[in-house]
PDB file of all heavy atoms in Angstrom:
ATOM      1  N   PHE A   1      -6.239 -25.697   4.168  1.00  0.00           N
ATOM      2  CA  PHE A   1      -6.275 -25.258   5.559  1.00  0.00           C
ATOM      3  C   PHE A   1      -7.346 -24.211   5.787  1.00  0.00           C
ATOM      4  O   PHE A   1      -7.622 -23.390   4.894  1.00  0.00           O
ATOM      5  CB  PHE A   1      -4.887 -24.724   5.980  1.00  0.00           C
ATOM      6  CG  PHE A   1      -3.921 -25.812   6.310  1.00  0.00           C
ATOM      7  CD1 PHE A   1      -3.250 -26.507   5.329  1.00  0.00           C
ATOM      8  CD2 PHE A   1      -3.639 -26.114   7.661  1.00  0.00           C
ATOM      9  CE1 PHE A   1      -2.343 -27.528   5.665  1.00  0.00           C
ATOM     10  CE2 PHE A   1      -2.737 -27.102   7.972  1.00  0.00           C
ATOM     11  CZ  PHE A   1      -2.064 -27.833   6.979  1.00  0.00           C
ATOM     12  N   ASP A   2      -7.915 -24.185   6.969  1.00  0.00           N
ATOM     13  CA  ASP A   2      -8.989 -23.255   7.302  1.00  0.00           C
ATOM     14  C   ASP A   2      -8.482 -21.825   7.524  1.00  0.00           C
ATOM     15  O   ASP A   2      -9.274 -20.874   7.456  1.00  0.00           O
ATOM     16  CB  ASP A   2      -9.707 -23.733   8.550  1.00  0.00           C
ATOM     17  CG  ASP A   2     -10.420 -25.032   8.344  1.00  0.00           C
ATOM     18  OD1 ASP A   2     -10.919 -25.286   7.252  1.00  0.00           O
ATOM     19  OD2 ASP A   2     -10.481 -25.856   9.300  1.00  0.00           O
ATOM     20  N   GLY A   3      -7.192 -21.685   7.862  1.00  0.00           N
ATOM     21  CA  GLY A   3      -6.673 -20.374   8.129  1.00  0.00           C
ATOM     22  C   GLY A   3      -5.264 -20.443   8.704  1.00  0.00           C
ATOM     23  O   GLY A   3      -4.596 -21.482   8.597  1.00  0.00           O
ATOM     24  N   ALA A   4      -4.814 -19.343   9.307  1.00  0.00           N
ATOM     25  CA  ALA A   4      -3.463 -19.269   9.840  1.00  0.00           C
ATOM     26  C   ALA A   4      -3.469 -18.546  11.163  1.00  0.00           C
ATOM     27  O   ALA A   4      -4.372 -17.769  11.457  1.00  0.00           O
ATOM     28  CB  ALA A   4      -2.550 -18.549   8.829  1.00  0.00           C
ATOM     29  N   ARG A   5      -2.421 -18.806  11.967  1.00  0.00           N
ATOM     30  CA  ARG A   5      -2.301 -18.179  13.301  1.00  0.00           C
ATOM     31  C   ARG A   5      -1.099 -17.300  13.345  1.00  0.00           C
ATOM     32  O   ARG A   5      -0.001 -17.705  12.930  1.00  0.00           O
ATOM     33  CB  ARG A   5      -2.231 -19.230  14.392  1.00  0.00           C
ATOM     34  CG  ARG A   5      -2.051 -18.656  15.801  1.00  0.00           C
ATOM     35  CD  ARG A   5      -2.394 -19.660  16.887  1.00  0.00           C
ATOM     36  NE  ARG A   5      -1.438 -20.726  17.069  1.00  0.00           N
ATOM     37  CZ  ARG A   5      -0.426 -20.650  17.926  1.00  0.00           C
ATOM     38  NH1 ARG A   5      -0.225 -19.570  18.625  1.00  0.00           N
ATOM     39  NH2 ARG A   5       0.354 -21.700  18.055  1.00  0.00           N
ATOM     40  N   HIS A   6      -1.265 -16.083  13.876  1.00  0.00           N
ATOM     41  CA  HIS A   6      -0.178 -15.127  14.074  1.00  0.00           C
ATOM     42  C   HIS A   6       0.354 -15.246  15.481  1.00  0.00           C
ATOM     43  O   HIS A   6      -0.384 -15.287  16.461  1.00  0.00           O
ATOM     44  CB  HIS A   6      -0.697 -13.689  13.855  1.00  0.00           C
ATOM     45  CG  HIS A   6       0.277 -12.621  14.260  1.00  0.00           C
ATOM     46  ND1 HIS A   6       0.317 -12.109  15.535  1.00  0.00           N
ATOM     47  CD2 HIS A   6       1.280 -12.018  13.564  1.00  0.00           C
ATOM     48  CE1 HIS A   6       1.298 -11.203  15.607  1.00  0.00           C
ATOM     49  NE2 HIS A   6       1.879 -11.138  14.423  1.00  0.00           N
ATOM     50  N   ASP A   7       1.703 -15.284  15.620  1.00  0.00           N
ATOM     51  CA  ASP A   7       2.279 -15.389  16.978  1.00  0.00           C
ATOM     52  C   ASP A   7       3.567 -14.553  17.129  1.00  0.00           C
ATOM     53  O   ASP A   7       4.261 -14.698  18.138  1.00  0.00           O
ATOM     54  CB  ASP A   7       2.545 -16.832  17.341  1.00  0.00           C
ATOM     55  CG  ASP A   7       2.668 -17.023  18.859  1.00  0.00           C
ATOM     56  OD1 ASP A   7       1.783 -16.528  19.567  1.00  0.00           O
ATOM     57  OD2 ASP A   7       3.620 -17.645  19.315  1.00  0.00           O
ATOM     58  N   SER A   8       3.933 -13.746  16.145  1.00  0.00           N
ATOM     59  CA  SER A   8       5.088 -12.852  16.301  1.00  0.00           C
ATOM     60  C   SER A   8       5.071 -11.814  15.176  1.00  0.00           C
ATOM     61  O   SER A   8       4.450 -12.024  14.115  1.00  0.00           O
ATOM     62  CB  SER A   8       6.416 -13.618  16.291  1.00  0.00           C
ATOM     63  OG  SER A   8       6.625 -14.273  15.025  1.00  0.00           O
ATOM     64  N   GLY A   9       5.781 -10.709  15.401  1.00  0.00           N
ATOM     65  CA  GLY A   9       5.836  -9.627  14.422  1.00  0.00           C
ATOM     66  C   GLY A   9       4.598  -8.741  14.495  1.00  0.00           C
ATOM     67  O   GLY A   9       3.721  -8.905  15.348  1.00  0.00           O
ATOM     68  N   ASP A  10       4.525  -7.774  13.597  1.00  0.00           N
ATOM     69  CA  ASP A  10       3.433  -6.810  13.545  1.00  0.00           C
ATOM     70  C   ASP A  10       2.151  -7.511  13.120  1.00  0.00           C
ATOM     71  O   ASP A  10       2.034  -7.944  11.978  1.00  0.00           O
ATOM     72  CB  ASP A  10       3.784  -5.714  12.583  1.00  0.00           C
ATOM     73  CG  ASP A  10       2.738  -4.599  12.512  1.00  0.00           C
ATOM     74  OD1 ASP A  10       1.568  -4.827  12.899  1.00  0.00           O
ATOM     75  OD2 ASP A  10       3.075  -3.474  12.043  1.00  0.00           O
ATOM     76  N   PRO A  11       1.147  -7.602  13.986  1.00  0.00           N
ATOM     77  CA  PRO A  11      -0.087  -8.347  13.640  1.00  0.00           C
ATOM     78  C   PRO A  11      -0.892  -7.652  12.546  1.00  0.00           C
ATOM     79  O   PRO A  11      -1.575  -8.345  11.763  1.00  0.00           O
ATOM     80  CB  PRO A  11      -0.854  -8.421  14.961  1.00  0.00           C
ATOM     81  CG  PRO A  11      -0.390  -7.238  15.743  1.00  0.00           C
ATOM     82  CD  PRO A  11       1.060  -7.067  15.359  1.00  0.00           C
ATOM     83  N   PHE A  12      -0.836  -6.344  12.475  1.00  0.00           N
ATOM     84  CA  PHE A  12      -1.616  -5.624  11.481  1.00  0.00           C
ATOM     85  C   PHE A  12      -1.024  -5.869  10.077  1.00  0.00           C
ATOM     86  O   PHE A  12      -1.739  -6.157   9.122  1.00  0.00           O
ATOM     87  CB  PHE A  12      -1.645  -4.122  11.798  1.00  0.00           C
ATOM     88  CG  PHE A  12      -2.333  -3.796  13.102  1.00  0.00           C
ATOM     89  CD1 PHE A  12      -1.598  -3.675  14.252  1.00  0.00           C
ATOM     90  CD2 PHE A  12      -3.689  -3.647  13.130  1.00  0.00           C
ATOM     91  CE1 PHE A  12      -2.206  -3.410  15.476  1.00  0.00           C
ATOM     92  CE2 PHE A  12      -4.324  -3.334  14.356  1.00  0.00           C
ATOM     93  CZ  PHE A  12      -3.594  -3.263  15.511  1.00  0.00           C
ATOM     94  N   ALA A  13       0.294  -5.754   9.971  1.00  0.00           N
ATOM     95  CA  ALA A  13       0.975  -6.066   8.680  1.00  0.00           C
ATOM     96  C   ALA A  13       0.777  -7.493   8.303  1.00  0.00           C
ATOM     97  O   ALA A  13       0.537  -7.826   7.152  1.00  0.00           O
ATOM     98  CB  ALA A  13       2.458  -5.706   8.789  1.00  0.00           C
ATOM     99  N   TRP A  14       0.841  -8.402   9.295  1.00  0.00           N
ATOM    100  CA  TRP A  14       0.656  -9.844   9.018  1.00  0.00           C
ATOM    101  C   TRP A  14      -0.736 -10.117   8.443  1.00  0.00           C
ATOM    102  O   TRP A  14      -0.888 -10.824   7.420  1.00  0.00           O
ATOM    103  CB  TRP A  14       0.817 -10.631  10.325  1.00  0.00           C
ATOM    104  CG  TRP A  14       0.598 -12.101  10.205  1.00  0.00           C
ATOM    105  CD1 TRP A  14       1.484 -13.055   9.841  1.00  0.00           C
ATOM    106  CD2 TRP A  14      -0.651 -12.833  10.443  1.00  0.00           C
ATOM    107  NE1 TRP A  14       0.913 -14.321   9.857  1.00  0.00           N
ATOM    108  CE2 TRP A  14      -0.408 -14.185  10.210  1.00  0.00           C
ATOM    109  CE3 TRP A  14      -1.915 -12.409  10.835  1.00  0.00           C
ATOM    110  CZ2 TRP A  14      -1.389 -15.154  10.366  1.00  0.00           C
ATOM    111  CZ3 TRP A  14      -2.904 -13.366  10.965  1.00  0.00           C
ATOM    112  CH2 TRP A  14      -2.654 -14.712  10.750  1.00  0.00           C
ATOM    113  N   GLY A  15      -1.763  -9.551   9.068  1.00  0.00           N
ATOM    114  CA  GLY A  15      -3.106  -9.749   8.592  1.00  0.00           C
ATOM    115  C   GLY A  15      -3.291  -9.284   7.150  1.00  0.00           C
ATOM    116  O   GLY A  15      -3.929  -9.969   6.340  1.00  0.00           O
ATOM    117  N   GLU A  16      -2.751  -8.127   6.835  1.00  0.00           N
ATOM    118  CA  GLU A  16      -2.840  -7.594   5.462  1.00  0.00           C
ATOM    119  C   GLU A  16      -2.130  -8.491   4.482  1.00  0.00           C
ATOM    120  O   GLU A  16      -2.620  -8.750   3.371  1.00  0.00           O
ATOM    121  CB  GLU A  16      -2.281  -6.179   5.378  1.00  0.00           C
ATOM    122  CG  GLU A  16      -3.014  -5.151   6.206  1.00  0.00           C
ATOM    123  CD  GLU A  16      -4.426  -4.892   5.763  1.00  0.00           C
ATOM    124  OE1 GLU A  16      -4.798  -5.330   4.646  1.00  0.00           O
ATOM    125  OE2 GLU A  16      -5.219  -4.254   6.502  1.00  0.00           O
ATOM    126  N   GLN A  17      -0.969  -9.038   4.879  1.00  0.00           N
ATOM    127  CA  GLN A  17      -0.212  -9.937   4.012  1.00  0.00           C
ATOM    128  C   GLN A  17      -0.986 -11.222   3.746  1.00  0.00           C
ATOM    129  O   GLN A  17      -1.007 -11.736   2.633  1.00  0.00           O
ATOM    130  CB  GLN A  17       1.150 -10.224   4.597  1.00  0.00           C
ATOM    131  CG  GLN A  17       2.131  -9.058   4.509  1.00  0.00           C
ATOM    132  CD  GLN A  17       3.445  -9.371   5.189  1.00  0.00           C
ATOM    133  OE1 GLN A  17       3.540  -9.430   6.435  1.00  0.00           O
ATOM    134  NE2 GLN A  17       4.475  -9.593   4.426  1.00  0.00           N
ATOM    135  N   ILE A  18      -1.573 -11.780   4.814  1.00  0.00           N
ATOM    136  CA  ILE A  18      -2.285 -13.036   4.663  1.00  0.00           C
ATOM    137  C   ILE A  18      -3.506 -12.844   3.758  1.00  0.00           C
ATOM    138  O   ILE A  18      -3.780 -13.678   2.862  1.00  0.00           O
ATOM    139  CB  ILE A  18      -2.700 -13.584   6.052  1.00  0.00           C
ATOM    140  CG1 ILE A  18      -1.479 -13.946   6.882  1.00  0.00           C
ATOM    141  CG2 ILE A  18      -3.617 -14.800   5.861  1.00  0.00           C
ATOM    142  CD1 ILE A  18      -0.698 -15.134   6.364  1.00  0.00           C
ATOM    143  N   ILE A  19      -4.266 -11.783   3.977  1.00  0.00           N
ATOM    144  CA  ILE A  19      -5.456 -11.535   3.144  1.00  0.00           C
ATOM    145  C   ILE A  19      -5.042 -11.355   1.683  1.00  0.00           C
ATOM    146  O   ILE A  19      -5.659 -11.901   0.761  1.00  0.00           O
ATOM    147  CB  ILE A  19      -6.216 -10.306   3.674  1.00  0.00           C
ATOM    148  CG1 ILE A  19      -6.923 -10.682   4.968  1.00  0.00           C
ATOM    149  CG2 ILE A  19      -7.214  -9.802   2.640  1.00  0.00           C
ATOM    150  CD1 ILE A  19      -7.617  -9.494   5.662  1.00  0.00           C
ATOM    151  N   ALA A  20      -3.982 -10.571   1.428  1.00  0.00           N
ATOM    152  CA  ALA A  20      -3.477 -10.379   0.058  1.00  0.00           C
ATOM    153  C   ALA A  20      -3.031 -11.696  -0.539  1.00  0.00           C
ATOM    154  O   ALA A  20      -3.266 -11.936  -1.736  1.00  0.00           O
ATOM    155  CB  ALA A  20      -2.343  -9.367   0.067  1.00  0.00           C
ATOM    156  N   HIS A  21      -2.434 -12.554   0.286  1.00  0.00           N
ATOM    157  CA  HIS A  21      -1.950 -13.861  -0.218  1.00  0.00           C
ATOM    158  C   HIS A  21      -3.127 -14.740  -0.637  1.00  0.00           C
ATOM    159  O   HIS A  21      -3.066 -15.419  -1.655  1.00  0.00           O
ATOM    160  CB  HIS A  21      -1.117 -14.513   0.865  1.00  0.00           C
ATOM    161  CG  HIS A  21      -0.477 -15.787   0.466  1.00  0.00           C
ATOM    162  ND1 HIS A  21       0.558 -15.861  -0.455  1.00  0.00           N
ATOM    163  CD2 HIS A  21      -0.743 -17.107   0.836  1.00  0.00           C
ATOM    164  CE1 HIS A  21       0.939 -17.120  -0.608  1.00  0.00           C
ATOM    165  NE2 HIS A  21       0.152 -17.907   0.126  1.00  0.00           N
ATOM    166  N   TYR A  22      -4.187 -14.740   0.163  1.00  0.00           N
ATOM    167  CA  TYR A  22      -5.373 -15.507  -0.197  1.00  0.00           C
ATOM    168  C   TYR A  22      -5.933 -15.018  -1.517  1.00  0.00           C
ATOM    169  O   TYR A  22      -6.291 -15.852  -2.420  1.00  0.00           O
ATOM    170  CB  TYR A  22      -6.442 -15.418   0.914  1.00  0.00           C
ATOM    171  CG  TYR A  22      -6.213 -16.406   2.034  1.00  0.00           C
ATOM    172  CD1 TYR A  22      -6.215 -15.975   3.372  1.00  0.00           C
ATOM    173  CD2 TYR A  22      -6.030 -17.747   1.821  1.00  0.00           C
ATOM    174  CE1 TYR A  22      -6.037 -16.872   4.416  1.00  0.00           C
ATOM    175  CE2 TYR A  22      -5.849 -18.673   2.832  1.00  0.00           C
ATOM    176  CZ  TYR A  22      -5.845 -18.208   4.134  1.00  0.00           C
ATOM    177  OH  TYR A  22      -5.661 -19.091   5.177  1.00  0.00           O
ATOM    178  N   LYS A  23      -6.066 -13.739  -1.669  1.00  0.00           N
ATOM    179  CA  LYS A  23      -6.604 -13.174  -2.901  1.00  0.00           C
ATOM    180  C   LYS A  23      -5.728 -13.545  -4.094  1.00  0.00           C
ATOM    181  O   LYS A  23      -6.245 -13.874  -5.192  1.00  0.00           O
ATOM    182  CB  LYS A  23      -6.747 -11.677  -2.785  1.00  0.00           C
ATOM    183  CG  LYS A  23      -7.854 -11.246  -1.819  1.00  0.00           C
ATOM    184  CD  LYS A  23      -7.927  -9.729  -1.705  1.00  0.00           C
ATOM    185  CE  LYS A  23      -9.048  -9.287  -0.768  1.00  0.00           C
ATOM    186  NZ  LYS A  23      -9.077  -7.804  -0.613  1.00  0.00           N
ATOM    187  N   LEU A  24      -4.423 -13.474  -3.921  1.00  0.00           N
ATOM    188  CA  LEU A  24      -3.499 -13.828  -4.977  1.00  0.00           C
ATOM    189  C   LEU A  24      -3.687 -15.288  -5.440  1.00  0.00           C
ATOM    190  O   LEU A  24      -3.488 -15.610  -6.611  1.00  0.00           O
ATOM    191  CB  LEU A  24      -2.055 -13.597  -4.507  1.00  0.00           C
ATOM    192  CG  LEU A  24      -0.923 -13.834  -5.508  1.00  0.00           C
ATOM    193  CD1 LEU A  24      -0.998 -12.799  -6.645  1.00  0.00           C
ATOM    194  CD2 LEU A  24       0.440 -13.755  -4.842  1.00  0.00           C
ATOM    195  N   ASN A  25      -4.042 -16.150  -4.487  1.00  0.00           N
ATOM    196  CA  ASN A  25      -4.249 -17.559  -4.792  1.00  0.00           C
ATOM    197  C   ASN A  25      -5.708 -17.876  -5.036  1.00  0.00           C
ATOM    198  O   ASN A  25      -6.115 -19.070  -4.907  1.00  0.00           O
ATOM    199  CB  ASN A  25      -3.686 -18.396  -3.655  1.00  0.00           C
ATOM    200  CG  ASN A  25      -2.166 -18.438  -3.654  1.00  0.00           C
ATOM    201  OD1 ASN A  25      -1.563 -19.272  -4.351  1.00  0.00           O
ATOM    202  ND2 ASN A  25      -1.544 -17.590  -2.856  1.00  0.00           N
ATOM    203  N   ARG A  26      -6.483 -16.888  -5.368  1.00  0.00           N
ATOM    204  CA  ARG A  26      -7.897 -17.056  -5.753  1.00  0.00           C
ATOM    205  C   ARG A  26      -8.733 -17.726  -4.699  1.00  0.00           C
ATOM    206  O   ARG A  26      -9.567 -18.620  -4.958  1.00  0.00           O
ATOM    207  CB  ARG A  26      -7.968 -17.827  -7.080  1.00  0.00           C
ATOM    208  CG  ARG A  26      -7.414 -17.045  -8.267  1.00  0.00           C
ATOM    209  CD  ARG A  26      -7.559 -17.796  -9.563  1.00  0.00           C
ATOM    210  NE  ARG A  26      -6.684 -18.946  -9.628  1.00  0.00           N
ATOM    211  CZ  ARG A  26      -6.803 -19.899 -10.535  1.00  0.00           C
ATOM    212  NH1 ARG A  26      -7.766 -19.838 -11.464  1.00  0.00           N
ATOM    213  NH2 ARG A  26      -5.975 -20.926 -10.562  1.00  0.00           N
ATOM    214  N   VAL A  27      -8.458 -17.349  -3.436  1.00  0.00           N
ATOM    215  CA  VAL A  27      -9.224 -17.855  -2.281  1.00  0.00           C
ATOM    216  C   VAL A  27      -9.900 -16.669  -1.621  1.00  0.00           C
ATOM    217  O   VAL A  27      -9.243 -15.667  -1.370  1.00  0.00           O
ATOM    218  CB  VAL A  27      -8.290 -18.579  -1.295  1.00  0.00           C
ATOM    219  CG1 VAL A  27      -9.044 -18.959  -0.026  1.00  0.00           C
ATOM    220  CG2 VAL A  27      -7.692 -19.862  -1.931  1.00  0.00           C
ATOM    221  N   ASP A  28     -11.166 -16.786  -1.328  1.00  0.00           N
ATOM    222  CA  ASP A  28     -11.913 -15.703  -0.701  1.00  0.00           C
ATOM    223  C   ASP A  28     -11.544 -15.641   0.786  1.00  0.00           C
ATOM    224  O   ASP A  28     -11.843 -16.607   1.538  1.00  0.00           O
ATOM    225  CB  ASP A  28     -13.416 -15.928  -0.842  1.00  0.00           C
ATOM    226  CG  ASP A  28     -14.263 -14.790  -0.333  1.00  0.00           C
ATOM    227  OD1 ASP A  28     -13.676 -13.862   0.293  1.00  0.00           O
ATOM    228  OD2 ASP A  28     -15.494 -14.808  -0.517  1.00  0.00           O
ATOM    229  N   PRO A  29     -10.935 -14.547   1.247  1.00  0.00           N
ATOM    230  CA  PRO A  29     -10.562 -14.450   2.669  1.00  0.00           C
ATOM    231  C   PRO A  29     -11.753 -14.566   3.620  1.00  0.00           C
ATOM    232  O   PRO A  29     -11.562 -14.932   4.780  1.00  0.00           O
ATOM    233  CB  PRO A  29      -9.899 -13.079   2.794  1.00  0.00           C
ATOM    234  CG  PRO A  29      -9.493 -12.735   1.393  1.00  0.00           C
ATOM    235  CD  PRO A  29     -10.508 -13.364   0.496  1.00  0.00           C
ATOM    236  N   LEU A  30     -12.925 -14.259   3.144  1.00  0.00           N
ATOM    237  CA  LEU A  30     -14.121 -14.354   3.999  1.00  0.00           C
ATOM    238  C   LEU A  30     -14.393 -15.804   4.422  1.00  0.00           C
ATOM    239  O   LEU A  30     -15.117 -16.043   5.405  1.00  0.00           O
ATOM    240  CB  LEU A  30     -15.350 -13.811   3.286  1.00  0.00           C
ATOM    241  CG  LEU A  30     -15.402 -12.281   3.148  1.00  0.00           C
ATOM    242  CD1 LEU A  30     -16.560 -11.881   2.250  1.00  0.00           C
ATOM    243  CD2 LEU A  30     -15.506 -11.612   4.524  1.00  0.00           C
ATOM    244  N   ASN A  31     -13.809 -16.755   3.703  1.00  0.00           N
ATOM    245  CA  ASN A  31     -13.958 -18.164   4.049  1.00  0.00           C
ATOM    246  C   ASN A  31     -12.822 -18.678   4.910  1.00  0.00           C
ATOM    247  O   ASN A  31     -12.788 -19.882   5.206  1.00  0.00           O
ATOM    248  CB  ASN A  31     -14.061 -19.007   2.777  1.00  0.00           C
ATOM    249  CG  ASN A  31     -15.322 -18.697   1.970  1.00  0.00           C
ATOM    250  OD1 ASN A  31     -16.366 -18.415   2.551  1.00  0.00           O
ATOM    251  ND2 ASN A  31     -15.211 -18.727   0.638  1.00  0.00           N
ATOM    252  N   LYS A  32     -11.914 -17.815   5.282  1.00  0.00           N
ATOM    253  CA  LYS A  32     -10.733 -18.240   6.043  1.00  0.00           C
ATOM    254  C   LYS A  32     -10.656 -17.539   7.374  1.00  0.00           C
ATOM    255  O   LYS A  32     -11.150 -16.444   7.530  1.00  0.00           O
ATOM    256  CB  LYS A  32      -9.452 -17.966   5.238  1.00  0.00           C
ATOM    257  CG  LYS A  32      -9.394 -18.716   3.920  1.00  0.00           C
ATOM    258  CD  LYS A  32      -9.374 -20.221   4.151  1.00  0.00           C
ATOM    259  CE  LYS A  32      -9.387 -21.013   2.842  1.00  0.00           C
ATOM    260  NZ  LYS A  32      -9.344 -22.479   3.072  1.00  0.00           N
ATOM    261  N   VAL A  33      -9.974 -18.178   8.348  1.00  0.00           N
ATOM    262  CA  VAL A  33      -9.867 -17.658   9.719  1.00  0.00           C
ATOM    263  C   VAL A  33      -8.435 -17.146   9.956  1.00  0.00           C
ATOM    264  O   VAL A  33      -7.466 -17.831   9.674  1.00  0.00           O
ATOM    265  CB  VAL A  33     -10.150 -18.790  10.750  1.00  0.00           C
ATOM    266  CG1 VAL A  33     -10.136 -18.213  12.168  1.00  0.00           C
ATOM    267  CG2 VAL A  33     -11.496 -19.445  10.461  1.00  0.00           C
ATOM    268  N   LEU A  34      -8.380 -15.953  10.468  1.00  0.00           N
ATOM    269  CA  LEU A  34      -7.095 -15.413  10.945  1.00  0.00           C
ATOM    270  C   LEU A  34      -7.168 -15.367  12.471  1.00  0.00           C
ATOM    271  O   LEU A  34      -8.042 -14.782  13.064  1.00  0.00           O
ATOM    272  CB  LEU A  34      -6.886 -13.996  10.419  1.00  0.00           C
ATOM    273  CG  LEU A  34      -6.164 -13.841   9.047  1.00  0.00           C
ATOM    274  CD1 LEU A  34      -6.941 -14.521   7.955  1.00  0.00           C
ATOM    275  CD2 LEU A  34      -5.968 -12.374   8.727  1.00  0.00           C
ATOM    276  N   ILE A  35      -6.214 -16.087  13.106  1.00  0.00           N
ATOM    277  CA  ILE A  35      -6.144 -16.159  14.528  1.00  0.00           C
ATOM    278  C   ILE A  35      -4.944 -15.348  15.031  1.00  0.00           C
ATOM    279  O   ILE A  35      -3.834 -15.533  14.569  1.00  0.00           O
ATOM    280  CB  ILE A  35      -6.013 -17.619  15.042  1.00  0.00           C
ATOM    281  CG1 ILE A  35      -7.279 -18.430  14.621  1.00  0.00           C
ATOM    282  CG2 ILE A  35      -5.837 -17.667  16.577  1.00  0.00           C
ATOM    283  CD1 ILE A  35      -7.231 -19.876  15.051  1.00  0.00           C
ATOM    284  N   PHE A  36      -5.212 -14.438  15.970  1.00  0.00           N
ATOM    285  CA  PHE A  36      -4.150 -13.621  16.556  1.00  0.00           C
ATOM    286  C   PHE A  36      -3.924 -14.092  17.993  1.00  0.00           C
ATOM    287  O   PHE A  36      -4.873 -14.247  18.777  1.00  0.00           O
ATOM    288  CB  PHE A  36      -4.568 -12.146  16.542  1.00  0.00           C
ATOM    289  CG  PHE A  36      -4.716 -11.569  15.171  1.00  0.00           C
ATOM    290  CD1 PHE A  36      -5.910 -11.670  14.491  1.00  0.00           C
ATOM    291  CD2 PHE A  36      -3.643 -11.005  14.529  1.00  0.00           C
ATOM    292  CE1 PHE A  36      -6.050 -11.132  13.197  1.00  0.00           C
ATOM    293  CE2 PHE A  36      -3.762 -10.459  13.234  1.00  0.00           C
ATOM    294  CZ  PHE A  36      -4.963 -10.551  12.565  1.00  0.00           C
ATOM    295  N   SER A  37      -2.645 -14.328  18.353  1.00  0.00           N
ATOM    296  CA  SER A  37      -2.381 -14.908  19.686  1.00  0.00           C
ATOM    297  C   SER A  37      -1.108 -14.403  20.306  1.00  0.00           C
ATOM    298  O   SER A  37      -0.571 -15.048  21.224  1.00  0.00           O
ATOM    299  CB  SER A  37      -2.341 -16.440  19.561  1.00  0.00           C
ATOM    300  OG  SER A  37      -1.269 -16.862  18.738  1.00  0.00           O
ATOM    301  N   ASP A  38      -0.528 -13.329  19.796  1.00  0.00           N
ATOM    302  CA  ASP A  38       0.786 -12.855  20.271  1.00  0.00           C
ATOM    303  C   ASP A  38       0.659 -11.729  21.275  1.00  0.00           C
ATOM    304  O   ASP A  38       0.448 -10.575  20.940  1.00  0.00           O
ATOM    305  CB  ASP A  38       1.635 -12.400  19.083  1.00  0.00           C
ATOM    306  CG  ASP A  38       3.012 -11.904  19.532  1.00  0.00           C
ATOM    307  OD1 ASP A  38       3.511 -12.399  20.530  1.00  0.00           O
ATOM    308  OD2 ASP A  38       3.564 -11.014  18.851  1.00  0.00           O
ATOM    309  N   GLY A  39       0.773 -12.067  22.605  1.00  0.00           N
ATOM    310  CA  GLY A  39       0.825 -11.051  23.627  1.00  0.00           C
ATOM    311  C   GLY A  39      -0.370 -10.121  23.616  1.00  0.00           C
ATOM    312  O   GLY A  39      -0.194  -8.919  23.884  1.00  0.00           O
ATOM    313  N   LEU A  40      -1.540 -10.647  23.322  1.00  0.00           N
ATOM    314  CA  LEU A  40      -2.707  -9.742  23.172  1.00  0.00           C
ATOM    315  C   LEU A  40      -3.185  -9.167  24.474  1.00  0.00           C
ATOM    316  O   LEU A  40      -3.194  -9.847  25.542  1.00  0.00           O
ATOM    317  CB  LEU A  40      -3.858 -10.485  22.492  1.00  0.00           C
ATOM    318  CG  LEU A  40      -3.700 -10.869  21.011  1.00  0.00           C
ATOM    319  CD1 LEU A  40      -4.946 -11.523  20.511  1.00  0.00           C
ATOM    320  CD2 LEU A  40      -3.341  -9.645  20.186  1.00  0.00           C
ATOM    321  N   THR A  41      -3.666  -7.927  24.414  1.00  0.00           N
ATOM    322  CA  THR A  41      -4.498  -7.329  25.446  1.00  0.00           C
ATOM    323  C   THR A  41      -5.868  -7.094  24.822  1.00  0.00           C
ATOM    324  O   THR A  41      -6.023  -7.170  23.595  1.00  0.00           O
ATOM    325  CB  THR A  41      -3.909  -6.004  25.913  1.00  0.00           C
ATOM    326  OG1 THR A  41      -3.899  -5.097  24.787  1.00  0.00           O
ATOM    327  CG2 THR A  41      -2.499  -6.159  26.453  1.00  0.00           C
ATOM    328  N   VAL A  42      -6.862  -6.773  25.648  1.00  0.00           N
ATOM    329  CA  VAL A  42      -8.180  -6.549  25.082  1.00  0.00           C
ATOM    330  C   VAL A  42      -8.193  -5.305  24.162  1.00  0.00           C
ATOM    331  O   VAL A  42      -8.758  -5.350  23.066  1.00  0.00           O
ATOM    332  CB  VAL A  42      -9.241  -6.453  26.191  1.00  0.00           C
ATOM    333  CG1 VAL A  42     -10.579  -5.930  25.627  1.00  0.00           C
ATOM    334  CG2 VAL A  42      -9.443  -7.832  26.834  1.00  0.00           C
TER     335      VAL A  42
END
C-alpha cells in the first residue's frame, strides 16, 4: 500500500505511530503517504 489515512483519534500520535511502524517493517516512510482527514482546520 502507498500509505494510510487518519480519521479519528490524536493525529499527531497517529502519525508518529505509523512512521515508527514503517521503520519497524524496514520501509522508508519517505516513500509513503500519510493522509489526515479528521475534522481538519487550516
Side-chain angles (χ1 to χ4, degrees):
F1 280 78
D2 295 325
R5 177 162 74 91
H6 170 269
D7 201 49
S8 64
D10 183 340
F12 297 94
W14 177 87
E16 296 295 347
Q17 287 176 287
I18 295 293
I19 288 174
H21 185 70
Y22 277 128
K23 291 178 178 177
L24 184 65
N25 285 276
R26 293 183 290 167
V27 172
D28 186 351
L30 287 172
N31 295 325
K32 298 298 177 179
V33 184
L34 272 60
I35 298 179
F36 295 88
S37 63
D38 179 30
L40 290 184
T41 62
V42 169

